[in-house]
Each structure stands twice: as structure tokens, then as C-alpha cells.
Amino acid sequence: MKVFWAALLAVVVGSVVTGLFWLFTFIGIAGSMGSSSAVTVMPNSILKIDLADNIVDSPAINPFASMNFATMSTNRTLPLLKVLRAIETAATDDRIKGIYINIDYSAVGTISSAALEELRAALEQFKSSGKFIVAFNDVYSQTAYYLASVADKVYLQPEGSFDWHGMTSVLLFYKGALDKLGIHAEAFRPTVCKYKSAVEPYLLTKMSDANRRQMQELGDGMWNTICSTVADARGTTVAALNKIADTTPTLFPEQALEHNLIDGVIYRDQMEGIFEEYGVQRNFMNEFEFITLGDYCSTVSAATETLSAPKIGIVYAEGGIVDGQSTAIDGNIYGTTLANTIAKARKDESIKAVVLRVNSPGGSALASDVIWREMELLKAVKPVIVSMGAYAASGGYYISAPADVIVANKLTITGSIGVFGMMLEGGDMLRNKLGITYDAVKTNPSADFGANVLGMSLRKPTAAERAMLIKSVDKVYEAFTGKVAAGRNLELQKVLDIAEGRVWSGTDAVKIGLADANGGIKAAIAIAADKAGITENFRIEEVMPEMDPMTQFIQSLGVQARSLVLSDELNDVCADYQTLKNDILRSGVQTYCPYRVSF
């Protein structure tokens, strides 16, 4: 027995030591990867913006998030706030002579509409410094051109192309597939929520008239915002831009030049002559000094901020809203976790105001209400400002409603004030397709209500159960609209008129009272400081949830393993499947908006 216990102790101690060794080894690797050699900004530098680094709303708190374990390299991400601060700094940095926009075509799809809008606004502000901005691309997509149009001069490669074709929203409908499988979908939503169309793909084979109307108006409004921005920059009109999209969605370089969309057709090497025209001097190797946006961001810090200065706290709400608590960062907002993070900002006396950055389509009504309550407690003791990102809809709007001020980007998708519940009944499929039948004993009539296989109910609800479900969604809708009315200081009837599950652009949200102003996170921070009575310097503190390093590490390994097994094409299919699965398996009453818009 002495030998046994000694051996057992050795195994336990050895396992613990080995585990700690590998943990600290990977942490060391992550640290070494994250800490590159110091970047030096040389005199006469040109700040290059290529979007090669992924610009995201919230900073990563998972130390392994950017690690690629297959190549043992890192994929750099840039928090939006740091990017905006870097461009602001570049305007007064004597070493930076101007900005060169040369967008990596493969990276265009990685930036959200809100981040793109805020980046463009920052570049517009940069121009007031008197420094130049020039743009060159081999190919201009709409996204790339929307950003590049801010430049003083825009150039295109002689054999390149220029896309300007408008926006579309494509929805997939699954009713036909469910019918073939013998799966019956049933939705429960308030009668007035005719625009709450998240359930339509499982009930219809095409858009309802109400959904088509709201999506058409949303798309038209967002496209008009984009065209207006470009038209102002290029000295043309919205009508002229729409005519191009109607008749010549892809232009040759000469056509783009004829329509005054660009200023010249040149090769990349000829950009050197452009830089010389702006007075940029070459280095001792007779070359121009470029510094990428990512590298320049690494040189910009908050070192000038006084440590004793009051703080503005920033809390990030990014992803779908789900119930419970989690120490892992998996792209979801866990109701209890976010509520605890907001509470941490509320209890920190050095934080004088809080900005909640919302980038969420919503989700669980219960989790949204948990967060809403903590927002109410926060508002009672210090100013709270909401900054809406690409979308802050349904549950994303639910948690925003208590704020003192709501600031939305013009391209934000918001509103969708409505609720629904949905269930899939798969008894027929199991019986007819697989030969599986269902039987049960129960103590009460509804004891088996909710019994399911693969997320599908085994039977249809009874009349009493159906009435209960309808009453549940009506109750949540009543609470939702009432809280919006109270938070926004609106008459309940006005809220009911603009609710009905309808989505709105950020521009329209301001017009109807769902938001107070159009702008980005910097505007929200300025308002927060003003509300807190801070007239001098203040510090920004990003309040993040507590992190479990081991959970994050294991999670990162799992993501990497899946990406290694699947090709890029299969990864895209799996991402669509995961979205579909999440939609189907959502339980309880939902405040969720499924729409994403890109252009």
C-alpha cells in the first residue's frame, strides 16, 4: 500500500506539473507572438490603410484568439477604438505626411458596415489637418470605393474594374425542405408583429408582403446613405450614381474616369509620382517610407492621459444574446455574464460614465431582460450612453432602451421591437422516415410537453399549451414595448406604431425617436464625458468580463482543429449550417433579428 500511495501521488503531482508546464509554455508562445519588436515611425512616412488586419468592435480578451496553431503565427486584429485613435493621432504627427488607401481585395469582407462608416468618418476628419489622402486599387468593390471616395484623389489600374451595382438582401427559405422531411414548424408571435419575420423561412417559401416592404425600405434607405456620402465626396449626384448602378454595374477604368468616380488611370508604380507631387521625400535608399495601420496602431497609446483623471468605461455587447453565464468567449452575449460586467462598471467609483457598445441581433428575451435590469441600475447612479454598431436590433435594442442617450451609425440596423416563439414537431419524420415511434406515461396532461429529439418536439402542442405559448409572447411584447416607452420617454402608442417587429436604419431611427443622434463610438464617448461633467482630460477603461484561460485555450484549439479539417468552402457551408441550427434550437421566447447587410 505504501508503494501504491506513493505511485498514485507521483502520478497526480506529475500530471499537475505537466499540465502547468504546457499551459505556461503556450502562454509564453502567445506572449512572444504578441510582442513583436518595437515599431519605429520614420520621418516622411505614409500611413497605409489596406484592411489586411481585421478591424473589430471589441478587443480580444482571449490570449489565444489570434493564434494559428497550424502555422504557429498570429492573425492580427485591431480594435476599432484603437484604429480611430491612431488616425486622430496621425493628423498631428509630424512624421506622418499623409494617408495611402490601397485596400487588400481579399480583406474587404472582414470589416462591418459600422466599422467602415466610422473609419471613413475618421479619415474625413483627418483631412482637416491639411495632409493628403490618396487611393489606388487594381479593383474597386463597392465597399472599397465607399472608403476610398474620401480621398483627395482616387486612382485605378488601367486593366482593373469598378463595381457599382447597388445592394440586395437574399433570404433562404426552408419550408420546402421541412415538408420533404416531414417536420412541422409552428410559430407564436403577437398578431401585431407582422414585421417580425425571423420565423418566415420555416413557414413560407418567399417573403411576406410586410417583410418585403420593410426590407425594400431598409435597403433603399441604406443605399441612399451610401450614395449621398459618395456623391458629396465626388461632386456628383445620387441620381447619377443610381443611373450607373442601373445601366453599368461594372465599369471599365475609362468609364469610371468619365463619370468622375476616379481621378486617373495609372499603374501602381506611378503612384510614386503622386507622392512626390505632395512633397513626400524618399529615404536614404531612394524609397518611400510606408507604415501600415496595424503597425502605427501599436505605436499609439494613452500615455498622455493623466492616471488620476476620471474614467469613461466601455462595455462591449457583441453577438447573439443567450441565457446563463460563461467564462468562454464564443461570439455570444451571455445574459448573466454581461450583467455582471455592467455591474462591475457600476460599482467602480473611478468610472464616471459608461458607454455600452452594442453589436447584437438579440436572442433570448429572458437574458435580454437580465441585462436590461442591470442597465437600469447603472443609469440610476451614472450616465450610460449606447453606441450602436452594425446592428442593435430586437434584444440588442431591448438592452439599449434604458440608456440616457443612444447614438447609432447611419447604417446601423436597429429596432425590430417584437418577439416570437417557435417549435419544430418531428414526430412524423421520426415515424415515416426512420420508423421511430413515440410513447410515454405521464402524471399530468402536459408532463411530456417539451420532450424533444434533436431539438424537435415529439408531438404537437395541445390547444391549452398553444394558448399558453401565445400568452407568453404577448406578455413579453407588452413588457418590451413598455420598457422602450419608459426608456425613450415616448408615448406607448407611438412605440406600438413603430414597433411591430420592424427594422430601421440608423438614419430613420433618429427620425422616429429610437435613437438620439447619428455617429460612432467616439461621439458616444464625447457625450458620456459631457453627461458626467468632465471638461478636461479623461481616461478610457474597457471593462471586460472575467476570463478562464484554460477554457479559452481549449476553445481556441477546437476552432483551429475544425479549420484544419475543413476546406475554406466547407467552412462557409458549416457557418451557414451553424446559423440555421442556432435559429432552430432557440428555446423560449425570442427577441431576435436575423438580418445582416453588406454592400
Side-chain angles (χ1 to χ4, degrees), residues 370-411:
V370 169
I371 299 166
W372 172 88
R373 174 59 180 171
E374 192 54 55
M375 285 286 286
E376 284 282 302
L377 296 176
L378 173 63
K379 181 182 178 180
V381 296
K382 58 186 71 173
V384 55
I385 314 299
V386 161
S387 168
M388 291 182 167
Y391 45 98
S394 206
Y397 193 84
Y398 196 125
I399 67 176
S400 303
D404 294 294
V405 178
I406 294 178
V407 181
N409 283 285
K410 291 181 179 180
L411 298 178

Side-chain angles (χ1 to χ4, degrees), residues 306-321:
T306 306
L307 293 179
S308 60
K311 298 177 184 176
I312 302 295
I314 300 180
V315 178
Y316 295 95
E318 187 164 10
I321 300 175

Side-chain angles (χ1 to χ4, degrees), residues 332-349:
N332 287 316
I333 300 168
Y334 287 84
T336 305
T337 301
L338 180 55
N340 289 342
T341 305
I342 295 172
K344 183 163 66 171
R346 170 170 58 86
K347 296 172 183 176
D348 188 337
E349 295 183 357

Side-chain angles (χ1 to χ4, degrees), residues 7-39:
L8 180 61
L9 179 62
V11 170
V12 172
V13 173
S15 299
V16 172
V17 171
T18 302
L20 290 174
F21 169 77
W22 283 110
L23 174 62
F24 287 118
T25 297
F26 277 108
I27 290 176
I29 293 173
S32 63
M33 287 181 173
S35 59
S36 57
S37 57
V39 176

Side-chain angles (χ1 to χ4, degrees), residues 50 56 180 530 567:
D50 56 13
V56 297
K180 288 179 181 294
D530 181 66
S567 67

Side-chain angles (χ1 to χ4, degrees), residues 62-98:
N62 178 357
F64 305 102
S66 61
M67 289 184 63
N68 187 326
F69 291 102
T71 61
M72 297 307 288
S73 62
T74 57
N75 303 312
R76 184 164 55 182
T77 60
L78 303 177
L80 176 61
L81 190 58
K82 179 172 281 192
V83 168
L84 301 180
R85 178 180 287 168
I87 293 173
E88 183 180 18
T89 302
T92 57
D93 188 339
D94 292 337
R95 299 167 298 178
I96 301 296
K97 297 305 178 184

Side-chain angles (χ1 to χ4, degrees), residues 426-437:
D428 288 348
M429 183 200 72
L430 294 174
R431 180 175 58 257
N432 298 331
K433 304 294 184 181
L434 301 176
I436 298 173
T437 55

Side-chain angles (χ1 to χ4, degrees), residues 97-126:
K97 297 305 178 184
I99 290 178
Y100 176 38
I101 302 175
N102 180 221
I103 299 173
D104 183 345
Y105 188 75
S106 63
V108 167
T110 63
I111 184 170
S112 73
S113 59
L116 192 67
E117 183 179 345
E118 294 185 44
L119 175 58
R120 194 186 186 286
L123 292 173
E124 187 71 54
Q125 182 64 33
F126 174 89

